[in-house]
Amino acid sequence: MSIFTKIITGEIPSYKVAENADFIAFLDINPNAKGHTLVVPKKEENKIFDLSKEAYASLMGFSYQVAKAIEKTLPCKRVGMSVIGLEVPHVHVHLIPLNAMADIQFMQKVTFSKEEFVDLAEAISKNF
Ligand code: 5GP
């Protein structure tokens, strides 16, 4: 069972931004930038291009809605999107508010207190 499935089942906590029957979005715990969010299908699958075309399109549709909410909440040049999965083998889309190329490079990290994570997740969630 992946760490993200444990988040989905509530076994471990997360700062939730949005959810429907098939997907969940929560803040990345080690973010590149403020508002860095992960969009995850509830059905555990390792690699994004092993999804059916339909499941892939649904994931993109949900990610689109989450990205709109992030854009409304946080000033940034644009919301960037990345799919990696080398650390957690459970499909997830990274949505990252970008102001500089460094924000999408997964080298520079920013830290927040629990309260800041809670407030941020709530703010994005309200715009979803
Ligand atoms: P990737 O698999 O795409 O290379 O990276 C996995 C991402 O998931 C990383 O950005 C990492 O910070 C994030 N991550 C790993 N474990 C957890 C967790 O338990 N909770 C949350 N919210 N994010 C996590």
Side-chain angles (χ1 to χ4, degrees):
M1 189 195 286
S2 79
I3 191 122
F4 292 164
T5 294
K6 286 184 180 166
I7 286 175
I8 290 158
T9 60
E11 210 173 307
I12 63 170
S14 71
Y15 302 104
K16 193 166 70 179
V17 162
E19 185 172 16
N20 72 7
D22 299 321
F23 304 104
I24 187 169
F26 49 83
L27 297 176
D28 194 298
I29 205 66
N30 187 23
N32 290 12
K34 186 176 182 180
H36 182 167
T37 299
L38 304 175
V39 183
V40 184
K42 290 185 177 176
K43 184 170 181 293
E44 188 173 330
E45 176 79 66
N46 181 354
K47 297 190 273 180
I48 192 164
F49 297 119
D50 285 344
L51 294 176
S52 68
K53 262 201 236 174
E54 293 73 23
Y56 175 82
S58 297
L59 172 63
M60 287 301 130
F62 193 78
S63 300
Y64 176 98
Q65 288 178 276
V66 175
K68 293 284 183 192
I70 293 171
E71 250 179 350
K72 256 195 224 170
T73 312
L74 293 162
C76 60
K77 287 188 175 165
R78 62 185 59 220
V79 174
M81 185 169 79
S82 178
V83 175
I84 306 172
L86 289 172
E87 182 188 331
V88 179
H90 180 153
V91 174
H92 53 282
V93 173
H94 293 262
L95 296 175
I96 307 169
L98 303 181
N99 290 294
M101 186 61 92
D103 296 330
I104 198 87
Q105 286 173 337
F106 294 86
M107 286 159 76
Q108 139 205 302
K109 296 290 178 176
V110 288
T111 54
F112 298 100
S113 68
K114 187 170 189 278
E115 290 69 30
E116 286 170 322
F117 270 124
V118 168
D119 290 348
L120 185 54
E122 194 185 319
I124 299 170
S125 171
K126 277 189 182 148
N127 283 323
F128 180 75

